[in-house]
């Protein structure tokens, strides 16, 4: 049995003690799950999914808490405190996540949030984080098709738009003039592949292109009208900001969806808005 430090592991409970239970860590020996994290009714023989990390004395310890990042992942985390050795990030566990000064692009400040990558330090075998995110992006050529849906983590704002991390692996870009919703670093969103360039760079959009996007939103709009007593005051004369605040789409997409519903005789267009037919 290989214990994956900084990740979730499924381990068997081997014995109970006053201060928790011990789990079978294989070659690593027994690993403590402190009493505060032990599920009610837990007994020897049960198999638990636990996150394994190191306590303040560098011993393996388990928790049933869910940290904000695992080893091998990117995350946008807030600095809890700083000392002469580096910064410590709040990642949802008792012991904060360490970022040594050598892994900081600029000196991190308490209360501010930064994009980081969590990894195991090769020398100390400790879980650490690095703000030098570019070093941990895959060098492979992405194998995505135009229109493919992917998960993204918004990384940082640039003059062109926003850099993002695609599927916890690749770097990508969403262009500023194609963004019709609030976007901030740390947001986890769905996006759609526009193209993968020859150099491996990925261009993305937050909305689907073409008819499929309109068809999908047509159903959303129809359901919205049904849930609001068969009427909405929004129409093609409404300002784009009001449409976006309500539906999260551009005015162009909204107007196309209204036209689609009207052609299908599902709605009636009125001076006061749109009503179910």
């Amino acid at each position: 049995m290989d214990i994956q430090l900084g990740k979730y592991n499924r381990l068997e409970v081997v014995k109970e003690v006053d201060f928790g239970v011990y789990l079978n860590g294989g070659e690593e020996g027994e690993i403590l799950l402190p009493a505060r994290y032990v599920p009610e009714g837990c007994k020897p023989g049960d198999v638990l999914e636990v996150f394994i990390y190191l306590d303040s004395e560098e011993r393996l310890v388990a928790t049933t808490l869910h940290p904000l990042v695992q080893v091998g992942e990117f995350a946008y985390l807030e600095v809890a405190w700083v000392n002469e050795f580096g910064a410590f990030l709040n990642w949802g566990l008792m012991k904060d996540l360490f970022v040594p000064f050598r892994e900081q692009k600029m000196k991190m400040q308490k209360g501010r949030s930064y994009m980081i990558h969590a990894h195991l330090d090769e020398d100390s075998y400790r879980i650490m984080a690095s703000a030098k995110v570019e070093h941990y992006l895959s060098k492979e050529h992405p194998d995505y098709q135009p229109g493919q849906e992917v998960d993204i983590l918004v990384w940082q704002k640039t003059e062109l738009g926003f850099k993002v991390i695609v599927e916890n692996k690749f770097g990508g870009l969403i262009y500023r003039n194609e963004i019709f919703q609030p976007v901030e670093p740390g947001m986890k969103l769905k996006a759609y592949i526009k193209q993968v360039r020859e150099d491996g760079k990925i261009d993305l959009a937050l909305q689907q292109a073409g008819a499929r996007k309109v068809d999908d939103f047509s159903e959303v709009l129809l359901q919205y009208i049904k849930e609001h007593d068969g009427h909405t005051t929004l129409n093609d004369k409404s300002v784009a900001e009001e449409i976006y605040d309500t539906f999260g789409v551009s005015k162009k997409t909204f107007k196309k969806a209204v036209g689609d519903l009207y052609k299908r005789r599902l709605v009636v267009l009125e001076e006061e808005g749109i009503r179910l037919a």
Side-chain angles (χ1 to χ4, degrees):
M1 177 192 301
D2 290 328
I3 295 296
Q4 296 189 76
L5 180 60
K7 295 187 177 183
Y8 294 103
N9 295 254
R10 289 182 59 81
L11 304 179
E12 182 182 353
V13 177
V14 292
K15 69 180 179 186
E16 298 176 90
V17 291
D18 292 340
F19 45 87
V21 299
Y22 278 101
L23 308 173
N24 179 12
E27 295 180 0
E28 299 291 343
E30 295 178 349
I31 300 174
L32 176 66
L33 175 63
R36 68 172 70 92
Y37 306 127
V38 177
E40 186 175 351
C42 177
K43 60 186 183 302
D46 290 350
V47 175
L48 304 178
E49 183 174 68
V50 293
F51 183 82
I52 302 295
Y53 68 116
L54 299 175
D55 66 13
S56 57
E57 297 182 15
E58 306 300 330
R59 299 173 300 190
L60 290 175
V61 66
T63 180
T64 49
L65 294 177
H66 293 276
L68 300 176
V69 66
Q70 295 186 68
V71 163
E73 293 181 346
F74 299 90
Y76 192 67
L77 302 180
E78 182 180 342
V79 176
W81 54 291
V82 178
N83 67 10
E84 65 270 27
F85 302 109
F88 295 81
L89 310 178
N90 175 15
W91 63 324
L93 300 182
M94 294 284 288
K95 182 183 177 185
D96 294 320
L97 183 59
F98 180 50
V99 188
F101 285 123
R102 68 175 184 274
E103 294 295 340
Q104 299 178 26
K105 288 185 174 179
M106 60 186 74
K107 191 171 182 179
M108 290 182 166
Q109 301 177 27
K110 179 181 177 180
R112 292 192 61 180
S113 296
Y114 301 85
M115 186 64 67
I116 59 89
H117 179 270
H119 62 278
L120 291 180
D121 182 67
E122 294 181 357
D123 298 326
S124 65
Y125 193 57
R126 296 174 181 172
I127 303 171
M128 292 186 179
S130 173
K132 297 179 179 179
V133 174
E134 298 90 342
H135 298 173
Y136 297 92
L137 294 172
S138 175
K139 302 299 189 294
E140 300 174 14
H141 194 280
D143 186 23
Y144 295 123
Q145 300 301 315
Q148 184 173 340
E149 183 181 270
V150 292
D151 291 316
I152 64 168
L153 175 61
V154 181
W155 175 6
Q156 65 182 25
K157 189 175 183 179
T158 71
E159 291 184 358
L160 293 176
F162 281 89
K163 286 184 178 181
V164 302
I165 298 171
V166 182
E167 295 288 349
N168 195 56
K169 190 173 183 179
F170 301 106
L173 180 67
I174 301 172
Y175 290 94
R176 177 179 296 178
N177 62 354
E178 297 178 356
I179 297 176
F180 303 101
Q181 67 186 76
V183 174
E184 296 178 356
M187 282 185 168
K188 294 181 179 180
L189 303 169
K190 296 289 185 183
Y192 303 90
I193 302 296
K194 288 183 62 179
Q195 65 172 335
V196 178
R197 301 176 181 271
E198 290 186 5
D199 60 5
K201 294 180 180 178
I202 305 172
D203 293 338
L204 303 108
L206 293 178
Q207 294 176 312
Q208 293 167 300
R212 183 180 168 193
K213 177 177 69 179
V214 175
D215 290 344
D216 287 349
F217 178 64
S218 293
E219 299 307 314
V220 172
L221 178 58
L222 181 62
Q223 186 62 33
Y224 176 88
I225 297 172
K226 288 179 179 179
E227 292 174 355
H228 289 76
D229 299 322
H231 181 262
T232 176
T233 56
L234 294 171
N235 58 26
D236 59 3
K237 296 182 178 63
S238 300
V239 297
E241 289 78 8
E242 187 178 4
I243 291 171
Y244 176 75
D245 287 344
T246 305
F247 297 110
V249 300
S250 66
K251 185 171 181 177
K252 181 179 179 181
T253 297
F254 176 81
K255 291 175 68 175
K256 285 184 177 180
V258 171
D260 174 60
L261 295 177
Y262 180 74
K263 289 177 184 177
R264 291 157 60 190
R265 299 184 180 180
L266 295 174
V267 299
V268 176
L269 307 184
E270 302 175 337
E271 284 293 325
E272 297 81 15
I274 305 167
R275 188 177 301 279
L276 283 181

